[in-house]
């Protein structure tokens, strides 16, 4: 059984570095100060102030896994489970394989399901079931890119060696197959990481019961609803509405502010 949220060890990350900045934005030292102030507020239980300060960093263009992790932790402590889940996901995009973020994500999902089950009976979150997501989640884009480069080098090296030696024995075919498989595996991984095989960016539903409409208009007919923390894919955007396909569920239009994109540099609103 998963640990209930009340017993989770939700620890804020105190790691801070020189945050990237764009021209005209606050300096890294100022951003680090905001990060420190947010952490202090969070540790004192001033969760609203902490989340506001972390949000200031994001609005300033900071894309740092510690900021997302701490924001998610504060939101989880405050009971905003969908917002916490979104930001744990974002932390994992920037730092794949982070065991703390992965465990806190799982525990927060379990806490949300338990809280719903107490009121509604059995309740579950619609998550991504893609095998590729599970396989490649621990690997970074840069790591997979290095694998592609190494595989290319090995593949053409083996072919060149065979051409010079004019021999094609068992060793040649073994090395050729290994380098080709490595190239295929890493190239597919880059495609999965960049959402190449999806119709659009991955999103998390933030509202509790979000109406899914037939069109990008609040007067449109109701098609269904999405629940907070459901995963989906962003298909289109029209003004203040986005077209969403919920994993294993409905497809239609929802208010842009009701979803958040998992990729930190993609916005749904």
């Amino acid at each position: 059984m998963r640990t209930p949220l009340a017993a989770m060890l939700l620890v804020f990350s105190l790691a801070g570095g020189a945050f990237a900045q764009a021209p005209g934005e606050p300096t890294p030292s100022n951003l680090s100060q905001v990060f420190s102030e947010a952490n202090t507020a969070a540790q004192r239980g001033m969760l609203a102030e902490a989340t506001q300060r972390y949000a200031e960093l994001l609005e300033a263009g900071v894309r740092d896994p510690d900021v997302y992790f701490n924001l998610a932790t504060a939101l989880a402590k405050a009971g905003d489970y969908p917002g916490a889940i979104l930001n744990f996901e974002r932390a994992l995009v920037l730092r794949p394989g982070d065991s703390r973020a992965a465990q806190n994500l799982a525990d927060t999902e379990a806490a949300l399901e338990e809280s719903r089950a107490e009121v509604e009976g059995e309740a579950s979150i619609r998550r991504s079931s893609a095998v590729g997501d599970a396989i490649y989640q621990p690997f970074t884009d840069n790591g997979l890119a290095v694998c592609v480069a190494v595989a290319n080098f090995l593949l053409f090296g083996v072919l060149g060696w065979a051409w010079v030696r004019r021999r094609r024995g068992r060793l040649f075919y073994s090395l050729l197959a290994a380098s080709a498989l490595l190239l295929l595996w890493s190239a597919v991984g880059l495609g999965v990481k960049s959402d190449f095989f999806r119709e659009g960016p991955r999103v998390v539903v933030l509202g509790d019961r979000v109406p899914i409409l037939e069109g990008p208009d609040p007067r449109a007919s109701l098609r269904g609803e999405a629940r907070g923390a459901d995963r989906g894919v962003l298909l289109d955007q029209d003004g203040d509405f986005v077209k969403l396909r919920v994993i294993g569920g409905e497809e239609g239009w929802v208010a842009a502010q009701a979803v958040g994109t998992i990729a930190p540099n993609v916005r749904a609103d």
Side-chain angles (χ1 to χ4, degrees):
M1 178 180 295
R2 287 176 176 166
T3 306
L5 187 65
M8 283 169 52
L9 183 61
L10 286 173
V11 180
F12 294 91
S13 174
L14 300 181
F19 299 115
Q21 68 175 117
E25 291 184 344
T27 64
S29 60
N30 289 342
L31 295 175
S32 296
Q33 179 63 28
V34 173
F35 183 68
S36 177
E37 292 170 356
N39 290 341
T40 299
Q43 291 170 336
R44 292 176 177 174
M46 304 162 61
L47 300 177
E49 180 179 340
T51 55
Q52 180 181 349
R53 300 296 272 167
Y54 291 130
E56 289 176 13
L57 292 173
L58 301 182
E59 290 170 3
V62 173
R63 297 295 179 264
D64 183 88
D66 288 326
V67 175
Y68 285 118
F69 180 91
N70 285 4
L71 174 58
T73 302
L75 290 170
K77 285 177 175 288
D80 182 358
Y81 299 146
I85 287 167
L86 170 64
N87 285 284
F88 280 133
E89 289 273 24
R90 287 173 169 174
L92 285 166
V93 167
L94 295 177
R95 190 158 54 204
D98 184 334
S99 60
R100 290 190 308 159
Q103 185 60 56
N104 283 357
L105 172 61
D107 287 340
T108 304
E109 289 177 329
L112 176 56
E113 291 175 332
E114 289 173 9
S115 66
R116 284 183 184 165
E118 290 178 359
V119 177
E120 308 170 14
E122 185 177 356
S124 61
I125 299 169
R126 290 183 279 193
R127 306 172 177 85
S128 172
S129 58
V131 175
D133 292 336
I135 293 174
Y136 293 104
Q137 192 277 329
F139 301 95
T140 64
D141 294 0
N142 289 340
L144 291 169
V146 169
C147 285
V148 169
V150 170
N152 267 304
F153 176 79
L154 290 175
L155 181 62
F156 287 101
V158 170
L159 291 173
W161 172 70
W163 182 80
V164 171
R165 297 291 299 272
R166 304 291 182 181
R167 297 176 60 183
R168 298 183 181 180
R170 181 178 300 175
L171 179 60
F172 164 77
Y173 289 109
S174 297
L175 292 174
L176 184 66
S179 56
L181 287 174
L182 178 60
L183 178 60
L184 177 63
W185 178 85
S186 51
V188 170
L190 281 176
V192 170
K193 286 287 191 177
S194 63
D195 290 334
F196 179 80
F197 301 108
R198 295 187 178 91
E199 295 181 66
R202 294 180 299 149
V203 298
V204 174
V205 176
L206 299 177
D208 181 37
R209 294 183 180 271
V210 177
I212 300 178
L213 306 175
E214 293 283 352
D217 190 315
R219 297 165 296 182
S221 300
L222 182 66
R223 174 172 287 187
E225 71 172 14
R227 302 298 305 272
D230 281 350
R231 309 307 201 276
V233 177
L234 190 66
L235 303 176
D236 198 2
Q237 182 160 1
D238 188 336
D240 295 331
F241 286 84
V242 293
K243 190 174 186 180
L244 170 72
R245 178 184 297 136
V246 180
I247 298 297
E250 299 84 1
E251 177 180 316
W253 295 85
V254 302
Q257 63 184 10
V259 300
T261 53
I262 291 176
N265 293 322
V266 177
R267 297 183 66 87
D269 53 2

